[in-house]
Amino acid sequence: MGSGGLFTWWNTDVLGQDRFCGDALDSSEASTVLSGFGRLTQSGYYEESEPYYSFSCKVQRTSKFLGGDQPRLEAELSFDEADFGLGGSRLWKNASASSYFVGGTTGAASETQAWVLLPTGCAKEIRPGSRHADVPVLKMSLTRGRSNPTALAKAAMAAAQHVADGLGCTGTSALKMPARLQGPTGETDTATPCGVKGFRIPEAALFKGKAEAGTALVTGRGSRTRVCEMMLQGPGEPRITLAVSDDPAVTQGVRRDETATQGSGRTVTACASGDLYVGVSFNDAYRDVLLDQGKDAYETARAALFNSFQQAVGNDYGCPTRGE
C-alpha cells in the first residue's frame, strides 16, 4: 500500500467496519455523529446477559497523522428515575437546551447528549442495586466535539433498539424514531416566564442582589414534555429548572417512585385529561442562596415556586391541579 493509500486508510473509513458495538450502530450513523477526519474505531465494548444484561460501548475517531484528541461517542444502558434528564443534574445539564422527541418513543437530544427511555416490561429490567422505580435508559454522550441533535437522536435510537432486544423488552414496536425533534423556542421575558399563562415567580423565591428575576429558556409545545430554565440574576448564575409532561412513559415511571412528592419537587397528579408530571429543581448556586436565608426561607421559597408552577401548568393543560 503506497503512502497515499496508507494515509487514506488511517484517515478515513475506507475498508473500515460496517457496524460497531455489537451491531448496535452502523458506520454511517457513527460517522454522521463523529464528523471530521480520522478512522472510526471501537473500544470499551461490553455486552453481557448473565447474571444480568449490561451494555456499554465507545466509538472514536483516531488518526496516525492528526494530533490532539479526537471526538468520542459513548453509549450505555443505565437505570434511573424516569425524569432523570428533566432536572438539570450535574451530568445532564441545561435540559431546556435539549430537543425533545415528538411522536415515537420518549427521549431527547442536544449537540452533545441523548437519552431514550426503553419500554417497560423488560424481562431483565431489574438488576442488583436498582430501585423499584428505576427504568432502563439508553444514554449517549459525545466528548470533544458537537453534533447535530437529529444525528445523535438517530444513533441513540439505533442503540436503544439493540439494547431493548437484549433486555427482552416487550412492546418494542413503540420504540421508533420520532417524527421530529422539538427544541428551544428562545427566551421569554419576566412578565410571562416559561411562556406559561398565569405563572409568576413568587416574591418569596427572589432575593435582592442574590437571585433576581431574569430571563428563561423554554422548549416548544410540540413535545409532550416541556422544560423551562429560569436564569436568575445573581452571583454564580442561580438557575431554576421547571418541567411538565403528560407523556405516559414519564408519568408512569415517576408514579412508581414513592419518593416523588410535592415536597421533593417532583410529583404526578391525576387530572381529568390524564396524569400530569411537574418537576422543579435548583442548581447549586440557587440552592446556596436559599440555604443562606435559613431553613424556613428555603422551604417557603421551594413550596411557593412549586405551587405557582403546578397550578399554572395544570390550568394550561386543562386540568387544574392541587398538591398531593
Side-chain angles (χ1 to χ4, degrees), residues 202-208 210-211 240 282 286-307:
E203 288 297 323
L206 299 174
F207 303 91
K208 187 172 180 60
K210 297 182 178 181
I240 301 169
F282 314 138
Y286 183 66
R287 186 176 290 106
D288 288 343
V289 169
L290 295 182
L291 291 174
D292 285 345
Q293 312 307 310
K295 182 178 179 180
D296 289 344
Y298 180 97
E299 292 299 332
T300 299
R302 184 205 56 74
L305 266 170
F306 193 95
N307 291 336

Side-chain angles (χ1 to χ4, degrees), residues 187-263:
E187 294 184 352
T188 60
D189 57 31
T190 56
T192 313
C194 302
V196 177
K197 182 179 179 181
F199 175 56
R200 297 289 184 272
I201 306 175
E203 288 297 323
L206 299 174
F207 303 91
K208 187 172 180 60
K210 297 182 178 181
E212 301 186 43
T215 58
L217 183 66
V218 63
T219 57
R221 292 178 176 270
S223 173
R224 301 190 71 164
T225 297
R226 301 184 68 209
V227 180
C228 173
E229 190 153 20
M230 300 174 61
M231 295 159 281
L232 305 180
Q233 298 180 37
E237 301 182 350
R239 295 189 177 195
I240 301 169
T241 303
L242 307 105
V244 58
S245 180
D246 62 354
D247 186 327
V250 174
T251 59
Q252 291 174 14
V254 175
R255 271 206 178 279
R256 292 167 57 184
D257 190 348
E258 295 179 355
T259 69
T261 64
Q262 183 171 333

Side-chain angles (χ1 to χ4, degrees), residues 15-94:
L15 301 179
Q17 289 182 236
D18 291 330
R19 301 196 68 84
F20 297 89
C21 304
D23 293 337
L25 288 174
D26 67 36
S27 59
S28 64
E29 292 164 342
S31 181
T32 300
V33 174
L34 295 167
S35 59
F37 297 102
R39 194 167 187 79
L40 289 174
T41 60
Q42 174 183 295
S43 65
Y45 169 58
Y46 180 80
E47 187 169 19
E48 184 60 60
S49 59
E50 297 296 340
Y52 51 81
Y53 180 78
S54 298
F55 174 88
S56 62
C57 187
K58 300 175 184 177
V59 181
Q60 185 172 11
R61 289 283 185 188
T62 60
S63 174
K64 293 292 186 181
F65 305 98
L66 297 177
D69 293 327
Q70 299 298 305
R72 182 176 66 194
L73 185 66
E74 300 184 20
E76 68 167 342
L77 167 65
S78 181
F79 288 78
D80 282 285
E81 298 168 339
D83 59 334
F84 84 99
L86 309 181
S89 67
R90 290 180 177 87
L91 293 179
W92 295 81
K93 300 178 180 179
N94 302 329

